[in-house]
Amino acid sequence: MAKREILEYPGIGEEEVREALDFCCRQICHVLPEFTHKFQNAYSVGGFYEPVENWDWTCGFWTGEIWLAYERCGETALKEAALVQVQDFMERIRNKRGVDHHDMGFLYTPSCVAAYKLAGSREGREAALMAADQLVSRFQPVGEFIQAWGAMGAPENYRLIIDCLPNLPLLYWASRETGNPLYRDTAEKHIRTTVANVVREDDSTWHTFYFDKETGAPDHGATCQGYRDGSAWARGQAWGIYGMALACRYTGRREYVALFERVAGYFLNHLPGDLVPYWDLEFTEGEEQPRDSSAASIAACGMLEMCRHLAPGEGAFWRETASRILKSLYDNYAVRDFETSNGLVLHSTYSCRSPYNTCSPAGVDECNLWGDYFYMEALTRLSRDWEPYW
Ligand code: GLY
């Protein structure tokens, strides 16, 4: 949609933000007994999350939701449940259980860094620092990037993925906490390599990008979860939007503002009328394809983060756009009662079948854990001057 058309869509009102956040808190308190010693699965089935052990890349978002609810309503039970989960995250990183990948930021920032920031948890701090070490251990000096998945150095996985950008605040936090610049330097190198390679000429993005293992030279882009290699996977583009806003915050480099605007502009130009994308930006209004509401929430968080680093006049458009996206999510996608779902936002897509998508289909047109978390984070950002966990 063109900028003008986006501004014709109404923004969410203060009262609606309050109502939306209050429902999120009620839902989280309602399901808390079932999901204190267990975590919500990455995606719901028929609108309902199953309880699972702490093994997937997504579990930190559940603890993050609990912290956001605690910040809003101050219920001691929420803090206590989140701290129980912090113990589990400590056990996970100590035993290196399910941590052979780059998603240490998604796991440890909304859970353990938040625990340290909000409740002074020493255990949270220690676990998050161990997770930062784990993330740094995936850095490939030949090519200068953090390898996302698979055995280190395996040719089929000698690549970065755009989703890694929002994992990097963990490294900046670790440098601040310890005074060791290694974490920050690793993040900066990864950001530089990512932005130099994933943004295409038309401002769409590659999901994953390969490098030559011997020379480190950029090789080629490919998708893993998108419709096809040359298309723009909606959530990948959204991770790019949020990731570049965070890169602006941590590096202060103005050139990343321009990149943010390009990537966010492409996202907006490929939205259907209700401002919530199909799972791949290849698809347009009226196509029989599932939406990915989580991509809308992630992009809104990125826009609200970006506003913090722009002059008020420059940031206004992004704040207004985020507010309009949230209005649509609240009106058309949010869960409103306990009977429909035990999550927060419907119509998200984890991985959709396509002739080219190499991931197994899962969580199609369902709630997804990160979609719920970022919806709540975006509402929180709209409601007040929130101090991010990231
Ligand atoms: N980072 C994995 C995903 O967005 O599905």
Side-chain angles (χ1 to χ4, degrees), residues 345-356:
V345 191
L346 304 166
H347 309 302
S348 181
T349 291
Y350 188 175
S351 177
C352 192
R353 191 182 297 282
S354 93
Y356 315 99

Side-chain angles (χ1 to χ4, degrees), residues 72-93:
R72 173 134 188 105
C73 67
E75 283 286 336
T76 312
L78 290 163
K79 177 175 160 184
E80 285 169 358
L83 289 174
V84 165
Q85 293 176 12
V86 167
Q87 287 171 16
D88 209 64
F89 278 106
M90 171 55 98
E91 200 268 328
R92 178 170 176 173
I93 191 71

Side-chain angles (χ1 to χ4, degrees), residues 194-273:
T194 304
V195 300
N197 292 291
V198 299
V199 184
R200 302 180 186 124
E201 254 177 39
D202 68 353
D203 304 337
S204 66
T205 52
W206 291 109
H207 176 204
T208 87
F209 203 93
Y210 283 89
F211 297 85
D212 184 295
K213 195 169 151 16
E214 305 308 322
T215 65
D219 200 284
H220 69 281
T223 198
C224 189
Q225 279 162 272
Y227 175 67
R228 62 181 174 87
D229 281 341
S231 69
W233 175 45
R235 195 160 64 255
Q237 194 84 12
W239 290 133
I241 293 169
Y242 200 178
M244 284 178 202
L246 291 166
C248 289
R249 164 158 150 220
Y250 282 108
T251 67
R253 294 175 79 164
R254 291 295 297 180
E255 71 213 60
Y256 295 159
V257 177
L259 273 174
F260 165 89
E261 286 176 346
R262 285 176 54 196
V263 172
Y266 186 94
F267 185 84
L268 297 182
N269 284 335
H270 290 79
L271 290 180

Side-chain angles (χ1 to χ4, degrees), residues 11 46 49 63 79 111 131 135 150 170 176 199 210 233 244 271 294 355 374:
Y49 289 104
T63 316
K79 177 175 160 184
S111 59
L135 186 51
L170 179 68
R176 274 201 315 276
V199 184
Y210 283 89
W233 175 45
M244 284 178 202
L271 290 180
S294 77
F374 286 109

Side-chain angles (χ1 to χ4, degrees), residues 102 104 131-148 152 160 164-165 167-175 178 180-195 247 250-251 253 256:
H102 71 134
M104 295 304 106
D133 286 334
Q134 177 67 13
L135 186 51
V136 163
S137 78
R138 295 197 62 87
F139 185 70
Q140 292 289 9
V142 179
E144 301 203 321
F145 64 95
I146 293 171
Q147 187 184 316
M152 287 299 280
L160 59 78
C164 190
L165 290 173
N167 276 309
L168 304 177
L170 179 68
L171 299 183
Y172 286 97
W173 171 82
S175 269
T178 61
N180 182 348
L182 173 76
Y183 303 102
R184 189 189 57 229
D185 293 349
T186 305
E188 309 251 334
K189 284 180 183 150
H190 181 85
I191 293 171
R192 258 187 254 124
T193 308
T194 304
V195 300
Y250 282 108
T251 67
R253 294 175 79 164
Y256 295 159

Side-chain angles (χ1 to χ4, degrees), residues 43-48 293 345-349 363-368:
Y43 53 91
S44 65
V45 176
F48 285 83
S293 58
V345 191
L346 304 166
H347 309 302
S348 181
T349 291
V364 177
D365 199 21
E366 289 286 347
C367 299
N368 282 325

